[in-house]
């Protein structure tokens, strides 16, 4: 900071903890991807072609891999180490996703964000971890600027116009929202018609950024407790909640007093539909 800002916001302990959780999740995703790529690279070097649908992350995959051809003891050890690294990374990833799902389900203010179209578990948790206290943004435009979704401004003499996005703001969260925007252009949702109209004039990439900006504004309104229109359809919301239930696990759901995943989903649907 250049000492020109009147207030420098300091994240609270809960926000810092969520940022650490998401940072660990990003690291373990990279580790899982690296282990899978190394395993495929080694198989490719030895001309081993996997069948369609072969899951390297399955616990019994190493037994099938060792049976595909004759391996020397050293190469068997390397295969087992790479597969073990992949399984360990996937296990840590599942544990972190379960923790994120538990936090979202435990707080109704977070669960309410699942109503928005294009918001899944990872994007939702990244939003709350990056934004923290949304009350520090007095207007939705400030949240848009914080994420770097506002166009740059070009000024020269009497000319003033908008330009492309610049590399400022929360790049990781901006990328997630733009990815959601691209997906929203392909499926039926409240933002699709408007997004496709923009795509017809400006192209799909700019339309995805525009939809991401709309989604960012909707996030600000929901976190402020306002009524918005970018709400997912009931069947899509049902699918989202069922995926949350899967992340939690049946044992955790039964410990909360629900007999099944469907009972959990129906209860949360009732809670979400009761919001204004």
């Amino acid at each position: 900071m250049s000492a020109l800002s009147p207030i420098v916001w300091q994240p609270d302990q809960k926000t810092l903890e969520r940022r650490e959780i998401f940072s660990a999740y990003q690291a373990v995703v990279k580790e899982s991807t690296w282990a899978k790529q190394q395993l495929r690279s080694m198989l490719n070097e030895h001309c081993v072609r996997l069948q369609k649908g072969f899951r390297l992350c399955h616990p019994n995959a190493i037994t099938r891999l060792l049976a595909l051809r004759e391996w020397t003891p050293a190469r068997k050890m390397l295969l087992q180490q790479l597969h073990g690294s992949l399984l360990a990374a996937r296990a840590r990833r599942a544990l972190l996703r379960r923790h994120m799902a538990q936090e979202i389900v435990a707080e109704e203010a977070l669960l309410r964000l699942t109503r928005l179209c294009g918001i899944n578990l990872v994007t939702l948790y990244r939003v709350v971890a990056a934004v923290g206290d949304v009350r520090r943004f007095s207007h939705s435009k400030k949240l848009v600027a914080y994420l770097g979704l506002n166009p740059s401004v070009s000024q020269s003499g009497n000319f003033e116009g908008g330009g492309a996005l610049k590399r400022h703001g929360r790049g990781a969260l901006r990328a997630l929202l733009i990815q959601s925007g691209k997906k929203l252009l392909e499926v039926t949702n409240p933002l699709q018609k408007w997004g496709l109209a923009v795509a017809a004039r400006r192209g799909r990439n700019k339309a995805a950024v525009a939809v991401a900006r709309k989604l960012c504004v909707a996030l600000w309104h929901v976190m402020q407790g306002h009524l918005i229109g970018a709400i997912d359809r009931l069947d899509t919301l049902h699918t989202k909640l069922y995926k949350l239930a899967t992340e939690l696990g049946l044992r955790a759901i039964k410990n909360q007093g629900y007999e099944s995943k469907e009972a959990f989903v129906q209860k949360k649907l009732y809670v979400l539909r009761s919001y204004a």
Side-chain angles (χ1 to χ4, degrees):
M1 301 296 294
S2 60
L4 298 178
S5 176
I7 298 177
V8 178
W9 180 75
Q10 295 293 332
D12 55 87
Q13 291 300 317
K14 189 63 177 178
T15 301
L16 287 175
E17 182 182 275
R18 285 171 176 165
R19 290 181 177 182
E20 292 171 1
I21 290 291
F22 194 82
S23 178
Y25 177 78
Q26 286 181 309
V28 79
V29 168
K30 290 181 180 179
E31 183 181 346
S32 175
T33 304
W34 177 87
K36 184 179 290 187
Q37 289 175 343
Q38 290 295 312
L39 195 52
R40 289 187 179 276
S41 177
M42 183 175 179
L43 294 173
N44 187 57
E45 286 179 359
H46 295 281
C47 302
V48 176
R49 299 292 182 265
L50 301 178
Q51 297 177 353
K52 187 177 180 179
F54 190 99
R55 294 182 59 198
L56 288 173
C57 57
H58 195 277
N60 296 328
I62 187 62
T63 304
R64 297 175 60 188
L65 290 176
L66 294 176
L68 290 177
R69 57 161 294 167
E70 292 292 333
W71 301 94
T72 64
R75 286 167 178 164
K76 282 184 180 181
M77 178 190 66
L78 290 175
L79 276 175
Q80 290 170 345
Q81 284 187 343
L82 288 173
H83 187 256
S85 299
L86 177 59
L87 292 183
R90 296 279 296 189
R92 294 198 301 274
R93 180 182 178 182
L95 184 61
L96 289 170
R97 290 180 68 93
R98 185 177 299 115
H99 177 83
M100 290 189 287
Q102 287 172 348
E103 282 202 38
I104 291 171
V105 171
E107 297 187 31
E108 289 190 4
L110 301 185
L111 186 64
R112 189 182 181 190
L113 293 175
T114 60
R115 303 171 70 204
L116 285 170
C117 54
I119 299 297
N120 57 15
L121 170 65
V122 175
T123 305
L124 193 158
Y125 198 86
R126 186 68 179 98
V127 167
V128 297
V131 173
D133 186 7
V134 73
R135 292 174 296 180
R136 64 193 177 103
F137 301 103
S138 58
H139 196 276
S140 60
K141 291 183 179 179
K142 294 188 176 182
L143 179 59
V144 170
Y146 178 70
L147 300 185
L149 285 170
N150 57 326
S152 59
V153 178
S154 300
Q155 292 180 331
S156 178
N158 295 327
F159 170 80
E160 180 176 347
L165 297 183
K166 300 297 183 181
R167 293 187 178 182
H168 68 278
R170 292 278 178 172
L173 181 53
R174 180 171 65 250
L176 285 176
L177 290 178
I178 293 176
Q179 184 178 2
S180 298
K182 290 182 178 180
K183 185 63 177 178
L184 290 176
L185 293 175
E186 301 173 358
V187 297
T188 303
N189 61 84
L191 295 177
Q192 185 189 34
K193 183 177 179 180
W194 179 84
L196 290 178
V198 175
R201 301 192 309 268
R202 307 295 301 277
R204 294 187 74 88
N205 287 337
K206 291 185 178 180
V209 175
V211 172
R213 187 184 183 281
K214 284 270 188 182
L215 193 56
C216 180
V217 173
L219 281 167
W220 182 85
H221 282 289
V222 173
M223 295 174 80
Q224 292 281 1
H226 301 161
L227 180 65
I228 56 115
I231 301 298
D232 252 332
R233 298 181 306 173
L234 186 60
D235 56 342
T236 307
L237 191 56
H238 183 281
T239 302
K240 282 186 181 181
L241 292 174
Y242 198 88
K243 288 181 178 179
L244 271 180
T246 303
E247 296 288 354
L248 290 172
L250 188 58
R251 179 180 299 179
I253 289 175
K254 289 186 175 181
N255 289 339
Q256 296 180 17
Y258 301 101
E259 296 181 357
S260 62
K261 291 182 182 180
E262 187 61 30
F264 169 86
V265 171
Q266 292 300 326
K267 176 62 177 178
K268 297 305 178 183
L269 273 178
Y270 176 79
V271 172
L272 291 177
R273 294 176 68 183
S274 66
Y275 287 124

